[in-house]
Amino acid sequence: MKTFKGKVLFLDRSDINTDEIIPAKYLTEITKEALKPYLLEDLTLEGFNNEEDIKDKAVVITRENFGCGSSREHAPWALEVNGINVVIAENFARIFRQNMYNCGMFAIELPKEKIDYLFDNYAGKDTEVEIDVDNDKIIVVAEGNSETIDFKVGGFDKTLVKEGGWVGYADKNY
Amino acid sequence: MGKTIAEKIFDAHRVNMPFPDTHVLKLDRVFCHEITTPIAITDLMARGMDRVFDPTKIKAVIDHVTPAKDSKTAEQGKILRDWAKRHNIKDFFDVGRNGVCHAIFPEKGFVRPGYTIIMGDSHTCTHGAFGAFAAGVGTTDLEVGILKGVCSFHHPETIKIELNGKLKPGVYAKDVILFIIKELTVNGATNKVIEFTGPVVDKMSMESRMTLCNMAIEAGGTSGICYPDMTTVEYLWDFIKDEFESKEEALEEYSKWVSDEDASYEKVHTYDISELEPMVTFGYKPDQVKPVKEMEGTKIDQVYIGSCTNGRIEDLRIAASVLKDKKISDDVRGIVSPATPEIYSIALKEGIIEIFQDAGFCVTNPTCGACLGMSNGVLAEGEACASTTNRNFNGRMGKGGMVHLMSPATAAKAAIEGEIKNSELYKG
């Protein structure tokens, strides 16, 4: 199982698409590691600098419809090789979301109020998040204080996270 | 309670439901191309699982960057080519015989009503035009599809779009789907199947239905889907004539793949599109759509006619009818990519290629090319492209470029004028 803990990158925009997460020109790479420098290279978001802002981050918190567009699993992989195994959003594009769980990563959906709350209270601070996989809780820590937020995850999704992805699970079961 | 077409296809293919709302389906087709498949092959090899579930159900093509443009794309092609050979995948389409995946696979007769289809390409939803459940997936789903012939899906909640009325001259399937995406928004059909029905769809050619279904993903849809009918049977007839006594018999067999009248829908939208005008996108999202007349005067640097949305013979015929005996603007670079060799050949025989060339277009080989800025036709910073493709994301055709999505007719007109304009085409 991967680790789901670390500093948060807040991306305050909806509809961040797969071309922004990893541009098509890098799809000629045939290793995941080669994608590392290019994560979010084309993201249009005021004040965002992909080289600086991604450093040391392990969790992304964002708005609606994250990962819309292409089926390219290079999008989760580009996150993964940068040490980001968790994206928390109001909702996700279907293929991107499935790709995350298929890789044993978390794409966690929270209601709009909770996403707004996280942005209002934690964006701009040095915030850390840890996912308590067994108890379906997000532990948020900033400036010495911490709180927990419940999330819901489907049985299949959780199994894929625990088993490290869909290939291993499918090979055993089908 | 009745069932939708997608629910019926799920029922006929379900292997099991390992968890509530997780349907694992048996696959009839796994389609592959050279961008998302080689990494699946490499991973399967690394896991010691270099196997395929059924080589006759796997079809592969090199289409995104072809002929290879550099060592990396050459390597991607080689991995796919060697794999196809190693596993006796006979339906593999390489340089000279290759075309855009969602155009060539239907053209070769690989799709049937009621099929389940996956591919590592988001526009796989195109094949729903035949009454199939066809969905784009990532590389891991593709790997499992290749290895085991199964894929997992959530319950196929369906949005029904009923299209009534009659399209005006100069208004096409592309205008209809841009209008629908505007109505649904880019997130409006996420995790849903979009069912296209009504008299307008009944009258559409298979090419037009493919254009509709192709862009279901731009509203977030898992798949687009149309009911199979005599148009579907006619399109497939050369490939199915040994299976049936007559076209009527084929129609009867395929007619089971329709939704029941009392099927349960997530939403039903009914539109009379008799007054619909040509549409075009204006921003970086496919739901940022306006009537063309509100965008007239927008300068264009490049025109691209092609792709899995609008690179079919119907599209080339429409564009050629606008371009005949005309020259494109000196300030515009025109590029046309017939989507398959067969389309290219028909276009040659009909004099369409000549019309494009005389007008000043560059005619490329069949490829995904400019659509996603991976090979030919990349835009420079600040340039705008009038494009018949499906996606206008920021940087899609090149960093800093703007893509305006539109029909082949509107794109051809933009090429002549050097700006978005089509009042002459549209007599509404």
Side-chain angles (χ1 to χ4, degrees), chain A residues 15 17 19 24 27 29 42 44 65 69-71 73 91-92 94 99 102 156 159 166 171 174, chain B residues 16 19 24 72 76 120-121 136-141 148 187 191 222 285 391 393-394 396 399:
Chain A
D15 306 314
N17 65 60
D19 284 52
L27 305 187
E29 300 295 346
D42 278 354
T44 48
N65 198 28
S70 165
S71 64
E73 203 158 308
N91 49 52
F92 294 89
R94 180 193 68 85
N99 286 346
N102 281 349
F156 183 52
T159 301
W166 174 220
D171 192 47
Y174 297 98
Chain B
N16 70 351
F19 298 89
V24 174
K72 284 180 177 176
Q76 286 181 309
D121 189 286
V137 297
T139 289
T140 302
D141 272 336
K148 298 282 174 178
N187 199 12
N191 294 319
T222 304
K285 294 199 291 176
R391 201 164 268 167
F393 294 165
N394 180 32
R396 173 77 176 175
K399 197 165 184 143

mmCIF file of all heavy atoms in Angstrom, chain A residues 15 17 19 24 27 29 42 44 65 69-71 73 91-92 94 99 102 156 159 166 171 174, chain B residues 16 19 24 72 76 120-121 136-141 148 187 191 222 285 391 393-394 396 399:
data_model
loop_
_atom_site.group_PDB
_atom_site.id
_atom_site.type_symbol
_atom_site.label_atom_id
_atom_site.label_comp_id
_atom_site.label_asym_id
_atom_site.label_seq_id
_atom_site.Cartn_x
_atom_site.Cartn_y
_atom_site.Cartn_z
ATOM 1 N N ASP A 15 -12.539 22.118 -12.956
ATOM 2 C CA ASP A 15 -12.294 21.629 -14.328
ATOM 3 C C ASP A 15 -10.814 21.623 -14.713
ATOM 4 O O ASP A 15 -10.466 21.920 -15.864
ATOM 5 C CB ASP A 15 -13.088 22.463 -15.349
ATOM 6 C CG ASP A 15 -14.582 22.521 -15.032
ATOM 7 O OD1 ASP A 15 -15.144 21.466 -14.731
ATOM 8 O OD2 ASP A 15 -15.155 23.629 -15.073
ATOM 9 N N ASN A 17 -7.972 20.034 -16.222
ATOM 10 C CA ASN A 17 -8.059 18.903 -17.150
ATOM 11 C C ASN A 17 -6.737 18.160 -17.283
ATOM 12 O O ASN A 17 -5.691 18.623 -16.822
ATOM 13 C CB ASN A 17 -8.588 19.385 -18.513
ATOM 14 C CG ASN A 17 -7.628 20.351 -19.192
ATOM 15 O OD1 ASN A 17 -6.488 20.001 -19.478
ATOM 16 N ND2 ASN A 17 -8.086 21.580 -19.446
ATOM 17 N N ASP A 19 -4.926 17.599 -19.851
ATOM 18 C CA ASP A 19 -3.888 18.270 -20.646
ATOM 19 C C ASP A 19 -3.094 19.239 -19.775
ATOM 20 O O ASP A 19 -1.906 19.464 -20.005
ATOM 21 C CB ASP A 19 -4.511 19.050 -21.820
ATOM 22 C CG ASP A 19 -4.949 18.137 -22.958
ATOM 23 O OD1 ASP A 19 -5.689 17.176 -22.671
ATOM 24 O OD2 ASP A 19 -4.554 18.369 -24.108
ATOM 25 N N ALA A 24 0.047 16.597 -23.698
ATOM 26 C CA ALA A 24 0.142 15.441 -24.604
ATOM 27 C C ALA A 24 1.551 15.223 -25.142
ATOM 28 O O ALA A 24 1.941 14.096 -25.426
ATOM 29 C CB ALA A 24 -0.835 15.615 -25.759
ATOM 30 N N LEU A 27 3.426 12.408 -23.672
ATOM 31 C CA LEU A 27 2.883 11.052 -23.711
ATOM 32 C C LEU A 27 3.747 10.096 -24.518
ATOM 33 O O LEU A 27 3.432 8.923 -24.659
ATOM 34 C CB LEU A 27 1.457 11.048 -24.277
ATOM 35 C CG LEU A 27 0.434 11.957 -23.583
ATOM 36 C CD1 LEU A 27 -0.955 11.698 -24.144
ATOM 37 C CD2 LEU A 27 0.432 11.776 -22.081
ATOM 38 N N GLU A 29 6.640 9.439 -23.519
ATOM 39 C CA GLU A 29 7.497 8.804 -22.504
ATOM 40 C C GLU A 29 6.953 7.410 -22.204
ATOM 41 O O GLU A 29 5.732 7.210 -22.164
ATOM 42 C CB GLU A 29 7.509 9.633 -21.212
ATOM 43 C CG GLU A 29 8.030 11.055 -21.394
ATOM 44 C CD GLU A 29 9.499 11.118 -21.806
ATOM 45 O OE1 GLU A 29 10.193 10.094 -21.696
ATOM 46 O OE2 GLU A 29 9.935 12.192 -22.269
ATOM 47 N N ASP A 42 1.056 23.032 -17.700
ATOM 48 C CA ASP A 42 0.210 23.967 -18.453
ATOM 49 C C ASP A 42 -1.000 24.456 -17.643
ATOM 50 O O ASP A 42 -1.963 24.961 -18.219
ATOM 51 C CB ASP A 42 -0.292 23.301 -19.749
ATOM 52 C CG ASP A 42 0.758 23.368 -20.859
ATOM 53 O OD1 ASP A 42 1.795 24.024 -20.644
ATOM 54 O OD2 ASP A 42 0.530 22.761 -21.921
ATOM 55 N N THR A 44 -3.509 26.641 -15.943
ATOM 56 C CA THR A 44 -3.812 28.076 -15.899
ATOM 57 C C THR A 44 -4.459 28.373 -14.552
ATOM 58 O O THR A 44 -5.611 28.022 -14.304
ATOM 59 C CB THR A 44 -4.770 28.495 -17.030
ATOM 60 O OG1 THR A 44 -5.864 27.580 -17.058
ATOM 61 C CG2 THR A 44 -4.096 28.487 -18.376
ATOM 62 N N ASN A 65 -14.729 18.540 -10.730
ATOM 63 C CA ASN A 65 -14.432 17.940 -12.037
ATOM 64 C C ASN A 65 -12.936 17.862 -12.327
ATOM 65 O O ASN A 65 -12.506 18.107 -13.451
ATOM 66 C CB ASN A 65 -15.156 18.754 -13.130
ATOM 67 C CG ASN A 65 -15.282 18.004 -14.441
ATOM 68 O OD1 ASN A 65 -15.335 16.777 -14.464
ATOM 69 N ND2 ASN A 65 -15.338 18.741 -15.538
ATOM 70 N N GLY A 69 -11.293 15.207 -19.288
ATOM 71 C CA GLY A 69 -10.604 15.154 -20.568
ATOM 72 C C GLY A 69 -10.121 13.774 -20.937
ATOM 73 O O GLY A 69 -10.897 12.823 -20.994
ATOM 74 N N SER A 70 -8.840 13.667 -21.128
ATOM 75 C CA SER A 70 -8.231 12.478 -21.717
ATOM 76 C C SER A 70 -8.237 11.278 -20.764
ATOM 77 O O SER A 70 -8.305 11.432 -19.549
ATOM 78 C CB SER A 70 -6.787 12.826 -22.088
ATOM 79 O OG SER A 70 -6.035 11.676 -22.347
ATOM 80 N N SER A 71 -8.094 10.091 -21.358
ATOM 81 C CA SER A 71 -8.020 8.866 -20.557
ATOM 82 C C SER A 71 -6.611 8.625 -20.017
ATOM 83 O O SER A 71 -6.402 7.713 -19.239
ATOM 84 C CB SER A 71 -8.429 7.669 -21.417
ATOM 85 O OG SER A 71 -7.501 7.499 -22.467
ATOM 86 N N GLU A 73 -3.552 7.787 -18.296
ATOM 87 C CA GLU A 73 -3.225 7.485 -16.905
ATOM 88 C C GLU A 73 -1.929 8.192 -16.504
ATOM 89 O O GLU A 73 -1.558 8.214 -15.331
ATOM 90 C CB GLU A 73 -3.102 5.969 -16.727
ATOM 91 C CG GLU A 73 -3.308 5.508 -15.301
ATOM 92 C CD GLU A 73 -3.706 4.048 -15.215
ATOM 93 O OE1 GLU A 73 -4.677 3.653 -15.907
ATOM 94 O OE2 GLU A 73 -3.058 3.308 -14.470
ATOM 95 N N ASN A 91 -15.663 16.640 -6.888
ATOM 96 C CA ASN A 91 -15.890 15.449 -7.708
ATOM 97 C C ASN A 91 -14.825 15.357 -8.794
ATOM 98 O O ASN A 91 -14.046 16.284 -8.992
ATOM 99 C CB ASN A 91 -17.302 15.428 -8.311
ATOM 100 C CG ASN A 91 -17.666 16.736 -8.974
ATOM 101 O OD1 ASN A 91 -16.916 17.238 -9.807
ATOM 102 N ND2 ASN A 91 -18.796 17.299 -8.590
ATOM 103 N N PHE A 92 -14.812 14.202 -9.460
ATOM 104 C CA PHE A 92 -13.765 13.908 -10.447
ATOM 105 C C PHE A 92 -14.385 13.460 -11.768
ATOM 106 O O PHE A 92 -15.490 12.938 -11.793
ATOM 107 C CB PHE A 92 -12.891 12.744 -9.953
ATOM 108 C CG PHE A 92 -12.092 13.058 -8.733
ATOM 109 C CD1 PHE A 92 -12.623 12.849 -7.470
ATOM 110 C CD2 PHE A 92 -10.806 13.559 -8.845
ATOM 111 C CE1 PHE A 92 -11.888 13.143 -6.332
ATOM 112 C CE2 PHE A 92 -10.059 13.855 -7.713
ATOM 113 C CZ PHE A 92 -10.599 13.651 -6.449
ATOM 114 N N ARG A 94 -14.770 10.702 -14.519
ATOM 115 C CA ARG A 94 -14.839 9.270 -14.232
ATOM 116 C C ARG A 94 -13.531 8.535 -14.508
ATOM 117 O O ARG A 94 -13.056 7.768 -13.676
ATOM 118 C CB ARG A 94 -15.944 8.599 -15.069
ATOM 119 C CG ARG A 94 -16.071 7.111 -14.824
ATOM 120 C CD ARG A 94 -16.928 6.412 -15.863
ATOM 121 N NE ARG A 94 -16.320 6.381 -17.178
ATOM 122 C CZ ARG A 94 -15.440 5.457 -17.580
ATOM 123 N NH1 ARG A 94 -15.067 4.489 -16.770
ATOM 124 N NH2 ARG A 94 -14.923 5.513 -18.789
ATOM 125 N N ASN A 99 -8.752 5.703 -12.727
ATOM 126 C CA ASN A 99 -7.305 5.514 -12.876
ATOM 127 C C ASN A 99 -6.592 5.644 -11.533
ATOM 128 O O ASN A 99 -5.654 4.896 -11.244
ATOM 129 C CB ASN A 99 -6.724 6.553 -13.849
ATOM 130 C CG ASN A 99 -7.073 6.265 -15.300
ATOM 131 O OD1 ASN A 99 -7.529 5.170 -15.633
ATOM 132 N ND2 ASN A 99 -6.864 7.249 -16.165
ATOM 133 N N ASN A 102 -7.318 2.542 -9.604
ATOM 134 C CA ASN A 102 -6.652 1.421 -10.293
ATOM 135 C C ASN A 102 -5.162 1.381 -9.985
ATOM 136 O O ASN A 102 -4.536 0.330 -10.058
ATOM 137 C CB ASN A 102 -6.857 1.526 -11.807
ATOM 138 C CG ASN A 102 -8.230 1.053 -12.244
ATOM 139 O OD1 ASN A 102 -8.968 0.454 -11.467
ATOM 140 N ND2 ASN A 102 -8.587 1.328 -13.487
ATOM 141 N N PHE A 156 -15.095 -1.312 -3.400
ATOM 142 C CA PHE A 156 -14.172 -1.671 -4.482
ATOM 143 C C PHE A 156 -12.961 -0.741 -4.464
ATOM 144 O O PHE A 156 -11.809 -1.191 -4.532
ATOM 145 C CB PHE A 156 -14.913 -1.581 -5.814
ATOM 146 C CG PHE A 156 -14.106 -2.000 -7.014
ATOM 147 C CD1 PHE A 156 -13.445 -3.209 -7.065
ATOM 148 C CD2 PHE A 156 -14.037 -1.163 -8.132
ATOM 149 C CE1 PHE A 156 -12.721 -3.598 -8.189
ATOM 150 C CE2 PHE A 156 -13.317 -1.541 -9.258
ATOM 151 C CZ PHE A 156 -12.657 -2.758 -9.286
ATOM 152 N N THR A 159 -10.675 -1.533 -1.618
ATOM 153 C CA THR A 159 -9.946 -2.779 -1.865
ATOM 154 C C THR A 159 -8.775 -2.531 -2.813
ATOM 155 O O THR A 159 -7.671 -3.052 -2.605
ATOM 156 C CB THR A 159 -10.905 -3.833 -2.465
ATOM 157 O OG1 THR A 159 -11.957 -4.040 -1.529
ATOM 158 C CG2 THR A 159 -10.192 -5.145 -2.737
ATOM 159 N N TRP A 166 -5.585 -2.461 -9.463
ATOM 160 C CA TRP A 166 -6.548 -3.320 -10.155
ATOM 161 C C TRP A 166 -5.887 -4.522 -10.816
ATOM 162 O O TRP A 166 -6.478 -5.601 -10.883
ATOM 163 C CB TRP A 166 -7.295 -2.434 -11.146
ATOM 164 C CG TRP A 166 -8.283 -2.970 -12.145
ATOM 165 C CD1 TRP A 166 -8.386 -2.537 -13.432
ATOM 166 C CD2 TRP A 166 -9.339 -3.937 -11.983
ATOM 167 N NE1 TRP A 166 -9.433 -3.179 -14.069
ATOM 168 C CE2 TRP A 166 -10.028 -4.048 -13.204
ATOM 169 C CE3 TRP A 166 -9.758 -4.735 -10.914
ATOM 170 C CZ2 TRP A 166 -11.112 -4.906 -13.398
ATOM 171 C CZ3 TRP A 166 -10.848 -5.601 -11.105
ATOM 172 C CH2 TRP A 166 -11.509 -5.670 -12.329
ATOM 173 N N ASP A 171 -6.061 -10.110 -11.414
ATOM 174 C CA ASP A 171 -5.343 -11.355 -11.704
ATOM 175 C C ASP A 171 -5.738 -12.462 -10.730
ATOM 176 O O ASP A 171 -5.827 -13.621 -11.098
ATOM 177 C CB ASP A 171 -3.830 -11.110 -11.655
ATOM 178 C CG ASP A 171 -3.065 -12.293 -12.231
ATOM 179 O OD1 ASP A 171 -3.452 -12.762 -13.317
ATOM 180 O OD2 ASP A 171 -2.115 -12.767 -11.590
ATOM 181 N N TYR A 174 -10.122 -12.899 -11.535
ATOM 182 C CA TYR A 174 -10.770 -13.105 -12.844
ATOM 183 C C TYR A 174 -9.914 -13.948 -13.787
ATOM 184 O O TYR A 174 -8.757 -14.088 -13.604
ATOM 185 C CB TYR A 174 -11.130 -11.751 -13.489
ATOM 186 C CG TYR A 174 -12.146 -11.001 -12.650
ATOM 187 C CD1 TYR A 174 -11.750 -9.996 -11.760
ATOM 188 C CD2 TYR A 174 -13.495 -11.360 -12.686
ATOM 189 C CE1 TYR A 174 -12.667 -9.357 -10.964
ATOM 190 C CE2 TYR A 174 -14.419 -10.727 -11.891
ATOM 191 C CZ TYR A 174 -14.007 -9.720 -11.025
ATOM 192 O OH TYR A 174 -14.920 -9.098 -10.227
ATOM 193 N N ASN B 16 -19.654 -10.571 -12.596
ATOM 194 C CA ASN B 16 -20.171 -10.534 -11.223
ATOM 195 C C ASN B 16 -20.193 -9.090 -10.730
ATOM 196 O O ASN B 16 -19.841 -8.171 -11.470
ATOM 197 C CB ASN B 16 -19.344 -11.432 -10.282
ATOM 198 C CG ASN B 16 -17.951 -10.892 -10.016
ATOM 199 O OD1 ASN B 16 -17.502 -9.938 -10.645
ATOM 200 N ND2 ASN B 16 -17.263 -11.494 -9.082
ATOM 201 N N PHE B 19 -18.663 -5.867 -5.486
ATOM 202 C CA PHE B 19 -19.095 -4.895 -4.481
ATOM 203 C C PHE B 19 -20.372 -4.245 -5.022
ATOM 204 O O PHE B 19 -20.582 -4.235 -6.237
ATOM 205 C CB PHE B 19 -18.026 -3.817 -4.264
ATOM 206 C CG PHE B 19 -16.730 -4.365 -3.746
ATOM 207 C CD1 PHE B 19 -15.747 -4.785 -4.634
ATOM 208 C CD2 PHE B 19 -16.512 -4.499 -2.381
ATOM 209 C CE1 PHE B 19 -14.551 -5.318 -4.171
ATOM 210 C CE2 PHE B 19 -15.316 -5.021 -1.909
ATOM 211 C CZ PHE B 19 -14.337 -5.434 -2.801
ATOM 212 N N VAL B 24 -18.525 -5.959 -12.955
ATOM 213 C CA VAL B 24 -17.392 -6.386 -13.780
ATOM 214 C C VAL B 24 -17.977 -7.038 -15.026
ATOM 215 O O VAL B 24 -18.760 -7.986 -14.946
ATOM 216 C CB VAL B 24 -16.456 -7.336 -13.008
ATOM 217 C CG1 VAL B 24 -15.367 -7.875 -13.931
ATOM 218 C CG2 VAL B 24 -15.829 -6.591 -11.823
ATOM 219 N N LYS B 72 11.384 8.343 -29.740
ATOM 220 C CA LYS B 72 10.437 7.882 -28.713
ATOM 221 C C LYS B 72 9.153 7.344 -29.333
ATOM 222 O O LYS B 72 8.632 6.310 -28.915
ATOM 223 C CB LYS B 72 10.120 9.025 -27.743
ATOM 224 C CG LYS B 72 11.260 9.265 -26.766
ATOM 225 C CD LYS B 72 10.940 10.394 -25.819
ATOM 226 C CE LYS B 72 12.081 10.548 -24.821
ATOM 227 N NZ LYS B 72 11.870 11.690 -23.929
ATOM 228 N N GLN B 76 7.509 3.574 -29.284
ATOM 229 C CA GLN B 76 6.122 3.240 -28.921
ATOM 230 C C GLN B 76 5.489 2.359 -29.995
ATOM 231 O O GLN B 76 4.834 1.365 -29.690
ATOM 232 C CB GLN B 76 5.297 4.527 -28.754
ATOM 233 C CG GLN B 76 5.614 5.286 -27.471
ATOM 234 C CD GLN B 76 4.770 6.548 -27.329
ATOM 235 O OE1 GLN B 76 4.694 7.359 -28.243
ATOM 236 N NE2 GLN B 76 4.153 6.727 -26.185
ATOM 237 N N GLY B 120 -7.917 2.624 -24.384
ATOM 238 C CA GLY B 120 -7.204 3.652 -23.624
ATOM 239 C C GLY B 120 -7.243 4.971 -24.357
ATOM 240 O O GLY B 120 -6.219 5.538 -24.724
ATOM 241 N N ASP B 121 -8.464 5.453 -24.565
ATOM 242 C CA ASP B 121 -8.660 6.713 -25.288
ATOM 243 C C ASP B 121 -10.042 7.234 -24.910
ATOM 244 O O ASP B 121 -11.036 6.506 -25.023
ATOM 245 C CB ASP B 121 -8.574 6.462 -26.802
ATOM 246 C CG ASP B 121 -8.545 7.760 -27.580
ATOM 247 O OD1 ASP B 121 -9.602 8.410 -27.679
ATOM 248 O OD2 ASP B 121 -7.472 8.139 -28.066
ATOM 249 N N GLY B 136 -13.951 4.952 -22.737
ATOM 250 C CA GLY B 136 -12.527 5.208 -22.610
ATOM 251 C C GLY B 136 -12.059 4.803 -21.228
ATOM 252 O O GLY B 136 -12.781 4.975 -20.247
ATOM 253 N N VAL B 137 -10.860 4.255 -21.155
ATOM 254 C CA VAL B 137 -10.296 3.833 -19.874
ATOM 255 C C VAL B 137 -8.813 4.198 -19.835
ATOM 256 O O VAL B 137 -8.218 4.508 -20.867
ATOM 257 C CB VAL B 137 -10.448 2.308 -19.660
ATOM 258 C CG1 VAL B 137 -11.912 1.900 -19.593
ATOM 259 C CG2 VAL B 137 -9.715 1.516 -20.748
ATOM 260 N N GLY B 138 -8.245 4.109 -18.651
ATOM 261 C CA GLY B 138 -6.811 4.340 -18.506
ATOM 262 C C GLY B 138 -6.014 3.092 -18.817
ATOM 263 O O GLY B 138 -6.565 2.047 -19.181
ATOM 264 N N THR B 139 -4.712 3.208 -18.652
ATOM 265 C CA THR B 139 -3.826 2.108 -19.030
ATOM 266 C C THR B 139 -4.000 0.871 -18.141
ATOM 267 O O THR B 139 -3.892 -0.260 -18.620
ATOM 268 C CB THR B 139 -2.370 2.619 -19.018
ATOM 269 O OG1 THR B 139 -2.214 3.503 -20.145
ATOM 270 C CG2 THR B 139 -1.368 1.505 -19.147
ATOM 271 N N THR B 140 -4.304 1.064 -16.850
ATOM 272 C CA THR B 140 -4.470 -0.095 -15.973
ATOM 273 C C THR B 140 -5.716 -0.898 -16.352
ATOM 274 O O THR B 140 -5.676 -2.133 -16.417
ATOM 275 C CB THR B 140 -4.544 0.345 -14.489
ATOM 276 O OG1 THR B 140 -3.345 1.058 -14.179
ATOM 277 C CG2 THR B 140 -4.670 -0.837 -13.562
ATOM 278 N N ASP B 141 -6.836 -0.201 -16.615
ATOM 279 C CA ASP B 141 -8.035 -0.904 -17.098
ATOM 280 C C ASP B 141 -7.740 -1.618 -18.412
ATOM 281 O O ASP B 141 -8.215 -2.726 -18.655
ATOM 282 C CB ASP B 141 -9.196 0.079 -17.302
ATOM 283 C CG ASP B 141 -10.015 0.277 -16.025
ATOM 284 O OD1 ASP B 141 -10.010 -0.623 -15.158
ATOM 285 O OD2 ASP B 141 -10.664 1.327 -15.899
ATOM 286 N N LYS B 148 -7.361 -10.154 -19.129
ATOM 287 C CA LYS B 148 -8.486 -10.961 -18.626
ATOM 288 C C LYS B 148 -9.783 -10.792 -19.416
ATOM 289 O O LYS B 148 -10.741 -11.517 -19.177
ATOM 290 C CB LYS B 148 -8.764 -10.560 -17.166
ATOM 291 C CG LYS B 148 -7.605 -10.821 -16.218
ATOM 292 C CD LYS B 148 -7.534 -12.288 -15.871
ATOM 293 C CE LYS B 148 -6.295 -12.592 -15.053
ATOM 294 N NZ LYS B 148 -6.253 -14.017 -14.666
ATOM 295 N N ASN B 187 -19.422 18.885 -16.898
ATOM 296 C CA ASN B 187 -19.493 17.921 -15.797
ATOM 297 C C ASN B 187 -20.894 17.333 -15.675
ATOM 298 O O ASN B 187 -21.180 16.567 -14.767
ATOM 299 C CB ASN B 187 -19.133 18.656 -14.491
ATOM 300 C CG ASN B 187 -18.719 17.726 -13.384
ATOM 301 O OD1 ASN B 187 -18.478 16.557 -13.624
ATOM 302 N ND2 ASN B 187 -18.658 18.251 -12.173
ATOM 303 N N ASN B 191 -20.074 10.116 -15.025
ATOM 304 C CA ASN B 191 -20.525 8.786 -14.596
ATOM 305 C C ASN B 191 -21.836 8.347 -15.241
ATOM 306 O O ASN B 191 -22.424 7.347 -14.839
ATOM 307 C CB ASN B 191 -20.673 8.702 -13.069
ATOM 308 C CG ASN B 191 -19.351 8.835 -12.364
ATOM 309 O OD1 ASN B 191 -18.354 8.273 -12.810
ATOM 310 N ND2 ASN B 191 -19.316 9.605 -11.290
ATOM 311 N N THR B 222 -19.752 8.699 -19.647
ATOM 312 C CA THR B 222 -19.000 7.445 -19.777
ATOM 313 C C THR B 222 -19.075 6.962 -21.216
ATOM 314 O O THR B 222 -18.087 6.518 -21.784
ATOM 315 C CB THR B 222 -19.601 6.370 -18.845
ATOM 316 O OG1 THR B 222 -19.599 6.885 -17.512
ATOM 317 C CG2 THR B 222 -18.815 5.089 -18.896
ATOM 318 N N LYS B 285 -13.029 25.497 -22.532
ATOM 319 C CA LYS B 285 -13.856 24.362 -22.110
ATOM 320 C C LYS B 285 -14.875 24.065 -23.212
ATOM 321 O O LYS B 285 -15.426 25.005 -23.807
ATOM 322 C CB LYS B 285 -14.591 24.682 -20.804
ATOM 323 C CG LYS B 285 -13.654 24.865 -19.615
ATOM 324 C CD LYS B 285 -14.397 24.716 -18.297
ATOM 325 C CE LYS B 285 -15.352 25.854 -18.031
ATOM 326 N NZ LYS B 285 -16.123 25.625 -16.787
ATOM 327 N N ARG B 391 -11.873 18.920 -28.626
ATOM 328 C CA ARG B 391 -11.396 19.383 -27.317
ATOM 329 C C ARG B 391 -10.628 20.689 -27.500
ATOM 330 O O ARG B 391 -9.748 20.772 -28.356
ATOM 331 C CB ARG B 391 -10.510 18.291 -26.728
ATOM 332 C CG ARG B 391 -10.349 18.359 -25.262
ATOM 333 C CD ARG B 391 -9.810 17.045 -24.714
ATOM 334 N NE ARG B 391 -10.863 16.136 -24.304
ATOM 335 C CZ ARG B 391 -10.692 14.856 -24.037
ATOM 336 N NH1 ARG B 391 -9.504 14.310 -24.167
ATOM 337 N NH2 ARG B 391 -11.705 14.107 -23.645
ATOM 338 N N PHE B 393 -9.107 22.464 -24.816
ATOM 339 C CA PHE B 393 -8.389 22.792 -23.580
ATOM 340 C C PHE B 393 -7.215 23.734 -23.863
ATOM 341 O O PHE B 393 -6.634 23.707 -24.946
ATOM 342 C CB PHE B 393 -7.827 21.528 -22.923
ATOM 343 C CG PHE B 393 -8.855 20.563 -22.419
ATOM 344 C CD1 PHE B 393 -8.494 19.262 -22.102
ATOM 345 C CD2 PHE B 393 -10.180 20.940 -22.224
ATOM 346 C CE1 PHE B 393 -9.422 18.358 -21.620
ATOM 347 C CE2 PHE B 393 -11.113 20.036 -21.740
ATOM 348 C CZ PHE B 393 -10.730 18.744 -21.438
ATOM 349 N N ASN B 394 -6.889 24.485 -22.818
ATOM 350 C CA ASN B 394 -5.731 25.363 -22.902
ATOM 351 C C ASN B 394 -4.486 24.551 -23.276
ATOM 352 O O ASN B 394 -4.167 23.568 -22.620
ATOM 353 C CB ASN B 394 -5.523 26.023 -21.540
ATOM 354 C CG ASN B 394 -4.348 26.961 -21.535
ATOM 355 O OD1 ASN B 394 -4.053 27.581 -22.546
ATOM 356 N ND2 ASN B 394 -3.665 27.057 -20.417
ATOM 357 N N ARG B 396 -4.060 22.651 -25.816
ATOM 358 C CA ARG B 396 -4.372 21.376 -26.476
ATOM 359 C C ARG B 396 -3.586 21.176 -27.777
ATOM 360 O O ARG B 396 -3.043 20.120 -28.030
ATOM 361 C CB ARG B 396 -5.888 21.329 -26.748
ATOM 362 C CG ARG B 396 -6.353 20.138 -27.571
ATOM 363 C CD ARG B 396 -6.406 18.888 -26.739
ATOM 364 N NE ARG B 396 -6.945 17.769 -27.500
ATOM 365 C CZ ARG B 396 -7.007 16.526 -27.035
ATOM 366 N NH1 ARG B 396 -6.559 16.250 -25.827
ATOM 367 N NH2 ARG B 396 -7.506 15.565 -27.751
ATOM 368 N N LYS B 399 1.131 25.023 -26.733
ATOM 369 C CA LYS B 399 1.098 25.956 -25.606
ATOM 370 C C LYS B 399 0.717 27.363 -26.068
ATOM 371 O O LYS B 399 1.298 27.894 -27.021
ATOM 372 C CB LYS B 399 2.472 25.977 -24.942
ATOM 373 C CG LYS B 399 2.442 26.566 -23.556
ATOM 374 C CD LYS B 399 3.721 26.236 -22.796
ATOM 375 C CE LYS B 399 3.604 26.773 -21.385
ATOM 376 N NZ LYS B 399 4.224 25.903 -20.408
#
